[in-house]
Amino acid sequence: MQDRPQVDTLSEAEARAELADLAARLTAANSAYHQKDAPDLSDAEYDALKMRNAALEAAFPHLKRADSPSDQVGAAPADGFTKVAHAQRMLSLGNAFSPEDVQDFDDRIRKYLGLTADTPLAYTAEPKIDGLSLSLRYEDGVLVQAATRGDGQVGENVTANARTITDIPQNIDGAPDLLEVRGEVYMSHADFDALNLRQAEAGAKAFANPRNAAAGSLRQLDASITRARPLKFFAYAWGVLSKPLAEGQMAALERLAGFGFSTNPLTKLCQTPEDMLAHYAEIEQQRASLGYDIDGVVYKVDNLALQARLGFRSTTPRWAVAHKFPAELAWTRLEGIDIQVGRTGALSPVARLHPVTVGGVVVSNATLHNEDYIAGRDAKGGEIRGGKDIRVGDWVQVYRAGDVIPKIADLDLSKRPESTERFAFPQTCPECGSAAIREEGDAVRRCTGGLICPAQAVEKLKHFVARGAFDIEGLGAKQVEQFYRDGWIAEPGDIFTLKARYGRGLQQLKNREGWGEKSAENLFDAIEEKRRIGFARVLFSLGIRHVGEAASNLLARSYGDWASFSAAMDAAEEGSEAWETLLGIDGVGAVMARALTTAFAQEAERASIDRLTAHLEIIDAERPSASSPVAGKTVVFTGTLEKMTRAEAKARAESLGAKVSGSVSARTDILVAGPGAGSKAKKAAELEITVLDEDGWLALIEGA
Ligand code: IVH
């Protein structure tokens, strides 16, 4: 990204801070996109953040966070639908943005498999459909279940809704006994336009784009609404199978077509990266006339046996990549800059734009990141956009790919009106007037008002009741704002005294606008239900900076119970034994540790936490258990491996929970020794460590 400094010029502290910022932004974006069907970042911006995160993690592997966005697909499923655990995870795709990236993809695969540059290696190339993925399970040829991706592990059961889609066969002949077909649900441009017309006539809200319309239509609790929405489906992949479909991707797609599925007609078998790029250009040319949205081209290794060997990274397959189309651009006038104050006090500038259509969607807001971005500087003080600062009144270039809140890429100085002024970024919080300060190494200016700042307090409360945190039914962002404004709740603990204070006879609550007896009663019940709650959720709900859902889980598993944890936080003064223990947790860095100890040491915040936990029964966290025969074991590979490259062996072992080390020591559990093994085999024999040959190792992990 042009507005961020080169990774290799960053200090550790800067990298750590940026990784934290990226994790927070990407988590929020995932939730906005997957759960609310209302994306708040453009695809291009999202991809750029993910790439930046990956680059930082590659340069500073030890700083990779427990809640690293690289390990997350999508977001946890929304409430209302029953949940379906996917028999095989539904994954995301890595991205390529340039011909070089595509060449790198081919190089990486050859290296991993140990193939020379001239070994033939075919790939399929097909459009990347901009919809939402769906997994269809057929037993004995009968559709029995349809599930959305959710977080990749657990999705939403949308079987009744999927049955209304005519592209999805209910019965198929000649299929394997067990067949999971995966593909994309989408809405054509014509159907999208007609739907929005109907929405307007009915006085309902228009959908921002076909993807949102498709997602909103599929995820209807009432399937008759889905039936009235013309959804389509392309099959492009599969999950669990009782019998392989074919030997190659292309042939497998032909089988799916034979079962009655629509497969994309622009799918082509390519022999070289040059062929793939030529087909990309062909698809890009046809993009505008396809009648449905696509946002790139997906390349997949055709040979399915090689796909199996290549396997997966944490959230993406090694054997496929999405080559994205460049983002769309438009010019408009910047009418104002607003400052929003977030949960952690961050002051975020938002551009208010004269509405402009970018790739079919009307845009009137864009993110401006931070004060340096507005000033035309990166975090190191270097120039971005040639040093041009952004001013209210400027003619600006808006940048988006498929979704709603975009960013400003550039501006045209020749169109700057006279008498504009540099934007003066506020030095005090616009909400509470407290000083807003910028700490060294932080790109963001923050309000120092803490709990006295109404914006922070409300955002904290909203976070507290959000999904993944307390998730109290009937108490969403809107209700929290109302209760806060009226002085009914000021901090999380107040929620648990709401009934005692205002529920008597339900008189007060039910007399309020929007509340009846039933809804008031339901709310109090929902609150009661959450008095007993898991440790990780409590921690996550506090909204402590750098402590996201994954980190909360990690900390909960490490400390087990709340009392031990809070005692440890009290004792964890920097440099103390408790501090070292905290830092010793794999996935906890100094930034997170400091954020935690600060939150617990800060008097007002600590008192507020204690007032909350006094109302709760906090359930202890479960300690992790080993699931594969090599989980938790330390493995060393030595000598020549004949059935796989070293990289492949290492990745497979790690995916099964083993730790791969380069040298034999007393801590080694297994040595896998191929022909030519030398000193390591000798040392292992001396230390009486289990030694396996390659076949022995494969037998051990088979089926794991
Ligand atoms: S293959 C193991 N093929 O893009 C990965 N995905 O960004 C299997 N998508 O989650 C996915 N068109 O929802 C594949 N032709 C295509 C696709 C496609 C759209 C979606 C899919 C996936 C997402 C990743």
Side-chain angles (χ1 to χ4, degrees), residues 91-93 126-129 133 149 184 236 298 300 317 319:
L91 292 154
S92 176
L93 291 169
E126 66 197 279
K128 181 170 187 300
I129 317 297
S133 46
R149 182 168 74 173
E184 202 85 350
Y236 52 64
V298 183
K300 300 173 185 168
W319 44 265

PDB file of all heavy atoms in Angstrom, residues 91-93 126-129 133 149 184 236 298 300 317 319, ligand 1:
ATOM      1  N   LEU A  91     -12.986 -22.927   3.083  1.00  0.00           N
ATOM      2  CA  LEU A  91     -11.863 -22.013   3.187  1.00  0.00           C
ATOM      3  C   LEU A  91     -11.997 -20.806   2.288  1.00  0.00           C
ATOM      4  O   LEU A  91     -12.900 -20.683   1.483  1.00  0.00           O
ATOM      5  CB  LEU A  91     -10.581 -22.779   2.863  1.00  0.00           C
ATOM      6  CG  LEU A  91     -10.282 -23.807   3.946  1.00  0.00           C
ATOM      7  CD1 LEU A  91      -9.465 -24.932   3.409  1.00  0.00           C
ATOM      8  CD2 LEU A  91      -9.607 -23.133   5.114  1.00  0.00           C
ATOM      9  N   SER A  92     -11.037 -19.942   2.464  1.00  0.00           N
ATOM     10  CA  SER A  92     -10.965 -18.734   1.688  1.00  0.00           C
ATOM     11  C   SER A  92      -9.854 -18.923   0.641  1.00  0.00           C
ATOM     12  O   SER A  92      -9.242 -19.986   0.594  1.00  0.00           O
ATOM     13  CB  SER A  92     -10.645 -17.635   2.688  1.00  0.00           C
ATOM     14  OG  SER A  92     -10.462 -16.450   2.063  1.00  0.00           O
ATOM     15  N   LEU A  93      -9.586 -17.925  -0.163  1.00  0.00           N
ATOM     16  CA  LEU A  93      -8.528 -18.053  -1.157  1.00  0.00           C
ATOM     17  C   LEU A  93      -7.479 -16.983  -0.932  1.00  0.00           C
ATOM     18  O   LEU A  93      -7.809 -15.855  -0.570  1.00  0.00           O
ATOM     19  CB  LEU A  93      -9.099 -17.875  -2.566  1.00  0.00           C
ATOM     20  CG  LEU A  93     -10.012 -18.965  -3.110  1.00  0.00           C
ATOM     21  CD1 LEU A  93     -10.700 -18.499  -4.387  1.00  0.00           C
ATOM     22  CD2 LEU A  93      -9.194 -20.225  -3.381  1.00  0.00           C
ATOM     23  N   GLU A 126     -11.019 -19.791 -13.876  1.00  0.00           N
ATOM     24  CA  GLU A 126     -12.464 -19.571 -13.956  1.00  0.00           C
ATOM     25  C   GLU A 126     -12.808 -18.267 -13.250  1.00  0.00           C
ATOM     26  O   GLU A 126     -12.056 -17.819 -12.380  1.00  0.00           O
ATOM     27  CB  GLU A 126     -13.206 -20.733 -13.279  1.00  0.00           C
ATOM     28  CG  GLU A 126     -12.949 -20.778 -11.793  1.00  0.00           C
ATOM     29  CD  GLU A 126     -13.307 -22.118 -11.150  1.00  0.00           C
ATOM     30  OE1 GLU A 126     -14.481 -22.313 -10.874  1.00  0.00           O
ATOM     31  OE2 GLU A 126     -12.390 -22.942 -10.927  1.00  0.00           O
ATOM     32  N   PRO A 127     -13.941 -17.653 -13.568  1.00  0.00           N
ATOM     33  CA  PRO A 127     -14.297 -16.394 -12.910  1.00  0.00           C
ATOM     34  C   PRO A 127     -14.493 -16.591 -11.408  1.00  0.00           C
ATOM     35  O   PRO A 127     -14.953 -17.647 -10.979  1.00  0.00           O
ATOM     36  CB  PRO A 127     -15.635 -16.012 -13.555  1.00  0.00           C
ATOM     37  CG  PRO A 127     -15.705 -16.779 -14.819  1.00  0.00           C
ATOM     38  CD  PRO A 127     -14.923 -18.038 -14.595  1.00  0.00           C
ATOM     39  N   LYS A 128     -14.139 -15.573 -10.635  1.00  0.00           N
ATOM     40  CA  LYS A 128     -14.426 -15.578  -9.206  1.00  0.00           C
ATOM     41  C   LYS A 128     -15.757 -14.848  -9.026  1.00  0.00           C
ATOM     42  O   LYS A 128     -15.853 -13.641  -9.258  1.00  0.00           O
ATOM     43  CB  LYS A 128     -13.316 -14.874  -8.428  1.00  0.00           C
ATOM     44  CG  LYS A 128     -13.539 -14.876  -6.938  1.00  0.00           C
ATOM     45  CD  LYS A 128     -12.301 -14.397  -6.206  1.00  0.00           C
ATOM     46  CE  LYS A 128     -12.424 -14.548  -4.711  1.00  0.00           C
ATOM     47  NZ  LYS A 128     -13.535 -13.819  -4.113  1.00  0.00           N
ATOM     48  N   ILE A 129     -16.775 -15.594  -8.651  1.00  0.00           N
ATOM     49  CA  ILE A 129     -18.122 -15.048  -8.559  1.00  0.00           C
ATOM     50  C   ILE A 129     -18.254 -14.245  -7.271  1.00  0.00           C
ATOM     51  O   ILE A 129     -17.849 -14.714  -6.204  1.00  0.00           O
ATOM     52  CB  ILE A 129     -19.174 -16.196  -8.531  1.00  0.00           C
ATOM     53  CG1 ILE A 129     -18.843 -17.281  -9.566  1.00  0.00           C
ATOM     54  CG2 ILE A 129     -20.582 -15.655  -8.709  1.00  0.00           C
ATOM     55  CD1 ILE A 129     -18.859 -16.832 -10.983  1.00  0.00           C
ATOM     56  N   SER A 133     -20.627 -18.167  -0.486  1.00  0.00           N
ATOM     57  CA  SER A 133     -20.447 -19.587  -0.752  1.00  0.00           C
ATOM     58  C   SER A 133     -21.434 -20.421   0.053  1.00  0.00           C
ATOM     59  O   SER A 133     -21.904 -20.029   1.130  1.00  0.00           O
ATOM     60  CB  SER A 133     -19.010 -20.004  -0.495  1.00  0.00           C
ATOM     61  OG  SER A 133     -18.566 -19.493   0.710  1.00  0.00           O
ATOM     62  N   ARG A 149     -20.906 -20.523   4.740  1.00  0.00           N
ATOM     63  CA  ARG A 149     -19.542 -20.751   5.205  1.00  0.00           C
ATOM     64  C   ARG A 149     -19.371 -20.440   6.686  1.00  0.00           C
ATOM     65  O   ARG A 149     -18.629 -21.118   7.381  1.00  0.00           O
ATOM     66  CB  ARG A 149     -18.568 -19.904   4.381  1.00  0.00           C
ATOM     67  CG  ARG A 149     -17.133 -20.144   4.787  1.00  0.00           C
ATOM     68  CD  ARG A 149     -16.164 -19.551   3.804  1.00  0.00           C
ATOM     69  NE  ARG A 149     -16.103 -18.103   3.908  1.00  0.00           N
ATOM     70  CZ  ARG A 149     -15.253 -17.339   3.257  1.00  0.00           C
ATOM     71  NH1 ARG A 149     -14.390 -17.899   2.429  1.00  0.00           N
ATOM     72  NH2 ARG A 149     -15.253 -16.047   3.401  1.00  0.00           N
ATOM     73  N   GLU A 184     -21.148 -20.936  -5.359  1.00  0.00           N
ATOM     74  CA  GLU A 184     -21.488 -19.558  -4.998  1.00  0.00           C
ATOM     75  C   GLU A 184     -22.941 -19.234  -5.338  1.00  0.00           C
ATOM     76  O   GLU A 184     -23.392 -19.478  -6.455  1.00  0.00           O
ATOM     77  CB  GLU A 184     -20.552 -18.628  -5.782  1.00  0.00           C
ATOM     78  CG  GLU A 184     -20.378 -17.265  -5.185  1.00  0.00           C
ATOM     79  CD  GLU A 184     -19.295 -17.218  -4.105  1.00  0.00           C
ATOM     80  OE1 GLU A 184     -18.803 -18.287  -3.680  1.00  0.00           O
ATOM     81  OE2 GLU A 184     -18.970 -16.090  -3.673  1.00  0.00           O
ATOM     82  N   TYR A 236     -18.471 -24.944  -8.043  1.00  0.00           N
ATOM     83  CA  TYR A 236     -17.064 -24.894  -8.462  1.00  0.00           C
ATOM     84  C   TYR A 236     -16.139 -25.741  -7.588  1.00  0.00           C
ATOM     85  O   TYR A 236     -14.942 -25.773  -7.802  1.00  0.00           O
ATOM     86  CB  TYR A 236     -16.551 -23.450  -8.510  1.00  0.00           C
ATOM     87  CG  TYR A 236     -16.800 -22.647  -7.241  1.00  0.00           C
ATOM     88  CD1 TYR A 236     -16.198 -23.001  -6.040  1.00  0.00           C
ATOM     89  CD2 TYR A 236     -17.627 -21.536  -7.258  1.00  0.00           C
ATOM     90  CE1 TYR A 236     -16.433 -22.273  -4.893  1.00  0.00           C
ATOM     91  CE2 TYR A 236     -17.873 -20.801  -6.103  1.00  0.00           C
ATOM     92  CZ  TYR A 236     -17.271 -21.176  -4.926  1.00  0.00           C
ATOM     93  OH  TYR A 236     -17.499 -20.461  -3.782  1.00  0.00           O
ATOM     94  N   VAL A 298     -10.081 -17.255 -10.626  1.00  0.00           N
ATOM     95  CA  VAL A 298      -9.494 -18.225  -9.693  1.00  0.00           C
ATOM     96  C   VAL A 298      -8.700 -19.256 -10.495  1.00  0.00           C
ATOM     97  O   VAL A 298      -9.217 -19.812 -11.461  1.00  0.00           O
ATOM     98  CB  VAL A 298     -10.577 -18.950  -8.872  1.00  0.00           C
ATOM     99  CG1 VAL A 298      -9.940 -19.893  -7.858  1.00  0.00           C
ATOM    100  CG2 VAL A 298     -11.481 -17.946  -8.167  1.00  0.00           C
ATOM    101  N   LYS A 300      -6.649 -22.897 -10.253  1.00  0.00           N
ATOM    102  CA  LYS A 300      -6.517 -24.078  -9.396  1.00  0.00           C
ATOM    103  C   LYS A 300      -5.641 -25.112 -10.097  1.00  0.00           C
ATOM    104  O   LYS A 300      -5.788 -25.309 -11.309  1.00  0.00           O
ATOM    105  CB  LYS A 300      -7.893 -24.709  -9.127  1.00  0.00           C
ATOM    106  CG  LYS A 300      -8.875 -23.784  -8.442  1.00  0.00           C
ATOM    107  CD  LYS A 300     -10.272 -24.374  -8.353  1.00  0.00           C
ATOM    108  CE  LYS A 300     -11.233 -23.329  -7.775  1.00  0.00           C
ATOM    109  NZ  LYS A 300     -12.627 -23.684  -7.908  1.00  0.00           N
ATOM    110  N   PRO A 317      -6.083 -22.709   0.568  1.00  0.00           N
ATOM    111  CA  PRO A 317      -5.390 -23.834  -0.057  1.00  0.00           C
ATOM    112  C   PRO A 317      -4.096 -23.366  -0.734  1.00  0.00           C
ATOM    113  O   PRO A 317      -4.026 -22.235  -1.200  1.00  0.00           O
ATOM    114  CB  PRO A 317      -6.389 -24.318  -1.114  1.00  0.00           C
ATOM    115  CG  PRO A 317      -7.280 -23.169  -1.385  1.00  0.00           C
ATOM    116  CD  PRO A 317      -7.289 -22.298  -0.163  1.00  0.00           C
ATOM    117  N   TRP A 319      -3.103 -24.820  -3.367  1.00  0.00           N
ATOM    118  CA  TRP A 319      -3.249 -25.179  -4.777  1.00  0.00           C
ATOM    119  C   TRP A 319      -4.140 -24.235  -5.574  1.00  0.00           C
ATOM    120  O   TRP A 319      -4.430 -24.485  -6.746  1.00  0.00           O
ATOM    121  CB  TRP A 319      -3.778 -26.613  -4.905  1.00  0.00           C
ATOM    122  CG  TRP A 319      -4.909 -26.934  -3.947  1.00  0.00           C
ATOM    123  CD1 TRP A 319      -4.799 -27.521  -2.724  1.00  0.00           C
ATOM    124  CD2 TRP A 319      -6.310 -26.663  -4.127  1.00  0.00           C
ATOM    125  NE1 TRP A 319      -6.040 -27.630  -2.126  1.00  0.00           N
ATOM    126  CE2 TRP A 319      -6.980 -27.117  -2.968  1.00  0.00           C
ATOM    127  CE3 TRP A 319      -7.067 -26.094  -5.147  1.00  0.00           C
ATOM    128  CZ2 TRP A 319      -8.359 -27.022  -2.811  1.00  0.00           C
ATOM    129  CZ3 TRP A 319      -8.446 -25.992  -4.987  1.00  0.00           C
ATOM    130  CH2 TRP A 319      -9.072 -26.456  -3.827  1.00  0.00           C
TER     131      TRP A 319
HETATM  132  S1  IVH B   1     -12.708 -22.143  -4.894  1.00  0.00           S
HETATM  133  C1  IVH B   1     -10.757 -24.055  -1.002  1.00  0.00           C
HETATM  134  N1  IVH B   1     -13.758 -20.962  -6.962  1.00  0.00           N
HETATM  135  O1  IVH B   1     -14.271 -16.825  -3.182  1.00  0.00           O
HETATM  136  C2  IVH B   1     -11.300 -22.838  -1.660  1.00  0.00           C
HETATM  137  N2  IVH B   1     -14.074 -19.942  -4.851  1.00  0.00           N
HETATM  138  O2  IVH B   1     -12.232 -15.495  -1.622  1.00  0.00           O
HETATM  139  C3  IVH B   1     -12.475 -23.139  -2.517  1.00  0.00           C
HETATM  140  N3  IVH B   1     -15.441 -17.915  -4.912  1.00  0.00           N
HETATM  141  O3  IVH B   1     -14.792 -18.672  -0.266  1.00  0.00           O
HETATM  142  C4  IVH B   1     -12.966 -21.932  -3.213  1.00  0.00           C
HETATM  143  N4  IVH B   1     -15.832 -17.933  -7.074  1.00  0.00           N
HETATM  144  O4  IVH B   1     -16.831 -18.079  -1.749  1.00  0.00           O
HETATM  145  C5  IVH B   1     -13.577 -20.910  -5.645  1.00  0.00           C
HETATM  146  N5  IVH B   1     -14.684 -20.050  -8.889  1.00  0.00           N
HETATM  147  C6  IVH B   1     -14.497 -20.006  -7.573  1.00  0.00           C
HETATM  148  C7  IVH B   1     -15.044 -18.988  -6.792  1.00  0.00           C
HETATM  149  C8  IVH B   1     -14.799 -18.984  -5.421  1.00  0.00           C
HETATM  150  C9  IVH B   1     -16.056 -17.308  -5.935  1.00  0.00           C
HETATM  151  C10 IVH B   1     -15.487 -17.454  -3.525  1.00  0.00           C
HETATM  152  C11 IVH B   1     -15.710 -18.496  -2.474  1.00  0.00           C
HETATM  153  C12 IVH B   1     -14.496 -18.426  -1.598  1.00  0.00           C
HETATM  154  C13 IVH B   1     -14.056 -17.021  -1.825  1.00  0.00           C
HETATM  155  C14 IVH B   1     -12.611 -16.813  -1.469  1.00  0.00           C
END
